[in-house]
Amino acid sequence: MEPVPEDWTRALAIVAHPDDLEYGGSTAVAKWTAQGKTVAELLATRGEAGIDGMDPDEARRVRSVEQVEAARAVGVDTVEFLDLPDGVLEYGLPLRRSLAEAIRRHRPEVVISLNFRETFPGGLFNMADHRALGLAVVDAIRDAANRWVFRDLGLEPWGGVRFALFGGSPQCTHYVDVTGHLEAGIASLHAHKVYFDGLGADFDPREFLTGLVEPAGAEVGVTHAMPFELITP
């Protein structure tokens, strides 16, 4: 793996649900905000379908609050929601349009998202929302740069996205040295406590993230590293 370039100042993280970014991506975000970079977050849904034993309206409220707390833990002040329905995201022009609009408004140099491949490392099949959202992210980056696409948005095109990063991919090509920022990443994942409690799972954020960044760090010769798939539009 090669190091992710860090000669940029603005990024936009786009994911499907509250907690998607915290399984590794937010640890890298903690490093970048500590460097003085600006990172904003855009979530397609509020995760209302994610807790079987909780009414969707209550889950929507709780998970939105948890996401804002998770963002604050890694130095992110701007968290936006598209309020699309959780669990049934569809790839297509409406989603691409919404994402292109956000990219034109925020004008990021880097876009961060979650794995959109069919599986995660280890073979676990990826869910439909992640696959639909991630593919739409890649296409929306190009859409945002084309002034003749989605002209009704009334925004100037933005072709300044240099690359997109996808965490949790089985095809990782690059890494971020996150040595010294693991605790912030753990805190951001811990912020989703109600969600984890609702799942009834015995999940340890520290164990999960440490188990991710230590082996990746050993592979590239640093203490802690976060792997990403880097795609150039």
Side-chain angles (χ1 to χ4, degrees):
M1 293 190 293
E2 300 179 7
V4 170
E6 295 187 333
D7 56 337
W8 49 270
T9 59
R10 292 188 314 280
L12 176 63
I14 306 174
V15 292
H17 318 102
D19 87 326
D20 282 352
L21 188 63
E22 282 66 56
Y23 295 103
S26 65
T27 306
V29 169
K31 176 186 182 179
W32 293 326
T33 58
Q35 292 174 336
K37 303 183 193 302
T38 299
V39 181
E41 294 182 9
L42 176 70
L43 289 91
T45 81
R46 292 181 183 265
E48 68 274 9
I51 304 175
D52 182 70
M54 183 178 291
D55 181 84
D57 288 340
E58 178 64 7
R60 179 184 294 110
R61 183 192 67 80
V62 169
R63 299 199 68 193
S64 299
V65 170
E66 289 189 333
Q67 184 58 43
V68 171
E69 292 176 356
R72 297 291 183 270
V74 293
V76 173
D77 296 323
T78 300
V79 181
E80 299 175 357
F81 297 89
L82 293 178
D83 287 317
L84 298 175
D86 181 22
V88 290
L89 286 182
E90 292 183 289
Y91 173 86
L93 292 177
L95 182 56
R96 283 169 51 188
R97 183 182 184 277
S98 294
L99 300 184
E101 189 273 339
I103 291 168
R104 287 178 180 174
R105 279 192 299 106
H106 288 280
R107 304 173 77 82
E109 298 160 83
V110 174
V111 170
I112 309 156
S113 193
L114 184 68
N115 174 35
F116 63 91
R117 304 294 181 181
E118 287 190 350
T119 63
F120 283 101
L124 180 66
F125 196 75
N126 199 358
M127 71 170 296
D129 279 2
H130 297 158
R131 290 183 281 123
L133 189 281
L135 184 58
V137 166
V138 176
D139 289 336
I141 291 172
R142 288 188 174 181
D143 295 335
N146 188 336
R147 70 173 59 254
W148 307 123
V149 174
F150 302 132
R151 286 179 284 172
D152 60 312
L153 290 174
L155 296 167
E156 284 297 307
W158 175 248
V161 177
R162 293 170 50 189
F163 53 85
L165 298 171
F166 295 86
S169 171
Q171 301 181 31
C172 287
T173 57
H174 290 67
Y175 73 92
V176 177
D177 181 355
V178 294
T179 304
H181 301 281
L182 178 58
E183 291 303 317
I186 292 171
S188 73
L189 190 51
H190 262 300
H192 297 283
K193 183 179 185 305
V194 173
Y195 173 64
F196 295 134
D197 288 347
L199 293 181
D202 183 17
F203 179 75
D204 185 337
R206 179 176 298 278
E207 180 181 353
F208 174 85
L209 287 177
T210 302
L212 176 61
V213 300
E214 283 189 349
E219 180 181 344
V220 300
V222 301
T223 302
H224 294 144
M226 189 60 61
F228 289 94
E229 179 179 358
L230 185 149
I231 293 179
T232 302

